[in-house]
């Protein structure tokens, strides 16, 4: 994954007759003649297909390369439990805006007062569930915090701390 726009440069060589042109297309779009490097800036995965034609008219097989761009910092939304009189179930959920680096998020996670538990994740790495080893006590303040060292799978830092309070 690239954390900013990517400059794509295509080159070809032909020792016999020389290169006549290079053609390319992005994400299955219209074929274009390559003249200068171009920017890939749209979020997400992209496929760049390309091929060269030599001066004799021979066309090489089309090649494909993938370019993954992610310039958006992730953020999380506190889930349950939340607020006063919330059910004192020993489960805390946090939903993120995009797939997260599980190890980085778990290292950035804290709960005060400190409690032991087990992390589980949704298959798409967007929902973190922390299963506490005991129930939350009614009338006691708990604060869950995920600091900005948490990262998404592309390596973008978490936008802001996430906190949830159970009273």
């Amino acid at each position: 994954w690239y954390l900013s726009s990517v400059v794509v440069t295509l080159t070809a060589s032909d020792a016999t007759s020389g290169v006549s042109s290079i053609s390319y297309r992005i994400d299955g779009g219209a074929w274009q003649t390559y003249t200068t490097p171009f920017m890939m800036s749209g979020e997400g995965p992209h496929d760049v297909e390309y091929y060269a034609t030599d001066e004799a008219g021979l066309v090489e097989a089309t090649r494909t390369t993938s370019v993954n761009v992610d310039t958006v910092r992730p953020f999380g939304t506190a889930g349950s439990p939340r607020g006063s009189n919330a059910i004192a179930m020993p489960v805390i959920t946090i939903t993120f805006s995009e797939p997260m680096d599980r190890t980085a998020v778990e290292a950035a996670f804290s709960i005060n007062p400190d409690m032991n538990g087990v992390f589980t994740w949704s298959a798409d790495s967007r929902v973190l569930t922390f299963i506490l080893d005991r129930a939350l006590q009614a009338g006691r303040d708990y604060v869950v915090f995920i600091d900005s060292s948490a990262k998404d799978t592309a390596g973008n830092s978490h936008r802001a701390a996430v906190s949830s309070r159970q009273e």
Side-chain angles (χ1 to χ4, degrees):
W1 286 92
Y2 293 92
L3 305 182
S4 63
S5 298
V6 177
V7 176
V8 178
T9 302
L10 301 174
T11 60
S13 63
D14 184 281
T16 307
S17 64
V19 175
S20 173
S21 65
I22 299 174
S23 299
Y24 74 97
R25 68 179 179 178
I26 301 168
D27 295 333
W31 286 99
Q32 303 175 54
T33 300
Y34 176 81
T35 55
T36 60
F38 57 91
M39 288 287 243
M40 295 287 301
S41 58
E43 291 290 310
H46 301 282
D47 287 329
V48 178
E49 296 173 89
Y50 58 97
Y51 64 88
T53 304
D54 69 12
E55 292 292 344
L58 299 173
V59 179
E60 76 171 322
T62 300
R63 299 176 188 209
T64 303
T65 190
S66 295
V67 178
N68 298 310
V69 179
D70 183 356
T71 62
V72 178
R73 293 176 67 183
F75 62 90
T77 304
S80 63
R82 195 170 181 183
S84 62
N85 298 320
I87 298 171
M89 293 296 294
V91 175
I92 296 168
T93 61
I94 297 173
T95 302
F96 294 94
S97 61
E98 57 192 275
M100 299 298 289
D101 176 327
R102 295 177 180 194
T103 302
V105 172
E106 291 173 16
F109 179 95
S110 64
I111 183 169
N112 188 5
D114 192 35
M115 295 181 74
N116 293 325
V118 176
F119 294 102
T120 64
W121 287 87
S122 61
D124 65 359
S125 296
R126 291 180 51 149
V127 179
L128 165 66
T129 302
F130 186 66
I131 303 167
L132 298 155
D133 64 358
R134 64 182 186 274
L136 301 174
Q137 296 175 0
R140 181 154 190 191
D141 287 344
Y142 294 88
V143 178
V144 173
F145 189 75
I146 296 181
D147 68 40
S148 60
S149 68
K151 298 184 183 322
D152 66 14
T153 54
N156 288 310
S157 295
H158 192 248
R159 184 179 305 171
V162 175
S163 63
S164 177
R165 185 178 191 111
Q166 157 74 32
E167 300 175 35

